[in-house]
Amino acid sequence: MRFPFSLSMMRVAVVLSTVSSARVMGRVFTIGIVCAALAGCAGLRLSGSFRSAEDDWTMQGGSPGRHHRVANLPELPWKRLWEYNAQGGILASPLVRDSIAIVATLHGEIQAVDLRSGKRLGYEKLGSPISGTPALNGVTVIVPLSTENGSVVAFDLRENRKLWKATVGPVGSGILLNGAHVYVATLEGRVICLDSRTGEERWRFNVGARADRKPLRSTPALEGTTLVVGSDDGSLVGIETRNGSQLWRHASPASIFAGPVIANGIAVAGDLRGNVLAVDVATGAVRWRRDAGAAIYGGAATDGATIYLPTAAGRLLALDAVTGDVRWSYVGSSVMNAAPLIAGNRILVGSLDRSVAIVDAATGALVDKIVVEGRVKVTPVVWRGMVLVTYEDKFVAAYIHAGDGS
């Protein structure tokens, strides 16, 4: 298995002890070795191209519409290539670019991991737990912080410095990055738009009057100029991103924790009583409603025609995106509270029984199951022949085809 590798130097804020050069996969790179700690070094600087590609995983769901979809899955069977210990709990999805994974932890660290070896390249402490998934903007990682005086921080991975910090209140959901703008939903019931280059606030939208405002745990999704977000008060709201005004609003019977997914102009979200609501993004008209039979904690995935929705009863539902009709149902053995991942003609879905099920996208038939050592509460990530599985409470494991070299 081959990985493009553009990391030319890692630098940390301690005395440089050794610099070595080597040829890896036909390319020369240099690594500054700056501390003896086997787990990695405090401080982080990645220099080199850090090249972008279409298959990069740069935000939760892989796209502003939160589609949770990639083109291919490594051929089965798989073998474990490595296991990485982040030394802190992980609720955020790993981000991947150019054979480097960025892992965010509840200890308030962002860590860079070499996908070839699973070794830590360095880390930076941001001083507050990170429960929502960051977003990559070129060489900058934009990170949501979840303490009471929470903020969004933009950190330059090449220059090892904070570019900006915006105090917005505590954030428990993922960052939405779209060009020049960053959108964030806060636990104080606000959606805030920031300039991605400067952190300057462009607008803010309050979901409800101050006395009635509830937290937003739902990661927002975007199509065109309409941002969609769910609220603890059961609202599903469409917001015009050009000025922060409300376009439409619908009520669900219970809190919406799961982030919506948008499939060809239809926003779909489920609530904690299992009610699923589908709304036309452009008009705000309700397209359909469906009872999923159990609470919905995790977001859904879509290929445009089908919505793949996990439930707390351990069922993965395949719903027709236009009508909401059930096409098939896969029944697992435990709670599913993270969005599934579409990978070619397969669906990967993790559950609290310490496994990731691989099911056929057309029929829902179980194809294989990967068993890990902890509960799976984060969507798997697939990047160029590698599957990254995050599990409790602080581990990421990499799987590749059993016939590939390490």
Side-chain angles (χ1 to χ4, degrees), residues 57-124:
W57 196 259
T58 60
M59 68 181 78
Q60 184 172 331
S63 66
R66 310 301 187 189
H67 298 149
H68 292 96
R69 184 185 184 191
V70 296
N72 298 297
L73 187 69
E75 181 182 352
L76 292 164
W78 298 343
K79 66 179 179 182
R80 182 180 290 187
L81 182 63
W82 48 256
E83 180 185 66
Y84 173 73
N85 183 348
Q87 300 181 355
I90 307 172
L91 291 178
S93 173
L95 307 178
V96 181
R97 170 170 288 159
D98 207 5
S99 70
I100 297 172
I102 303 298
V103 175
T105 77
L106 294 175
H107 284 180
E109 296 177 355
I110 51 172
Q111 305 173 3
V113 181
D114 177 0
L115 288 184
R116 300 170 312 126
S117 64
K119 301 298 184 183
R120 184 182 301 176
L121 300 171
Y123 66 94
E124 184 70 23

Side-chain angles (χ1 to χ4, degrees), residues 186-239:
T186 78
L187 295 174
E188 295 176 343
R190 299 184 179 92
V191 178
I192 298 174
C193 174
L194 305 171
D195 186 294
S196 63
R197 293 158 295 188
T198 66
E200 180 181 353
E201 184 174 318
R202 296 303 186 194
W203 52 257
R204 65 173 52 200
F205 174 81
N206 296 318
V207 180
R210 184 180 183 88
D212 302 323
R213 201 173 302 151
K214 302 297 183 182
L216 303 179
R217 305 175 205 272
S218 165
T219 294
L222 179 73
E223 181 163 293
T225 62
T226 302
L227 180 145
V228 184
V229 68
S231 168
D232 276 21
D233 69 5
S235 298
L236 186 67
V237 184
I239 302 168

Side-chain angles (χ1 to χ4, degrees), residues 340-358:
L341 178 74
I342 305 168
N345 62 356
R346 300 289 186 251
I347 310 295
L348 278 64
V349 60
S351 66
L352 301 192
D353 68 352
R354 303 184 177 189
S355 73
V356 176
I358 305 165

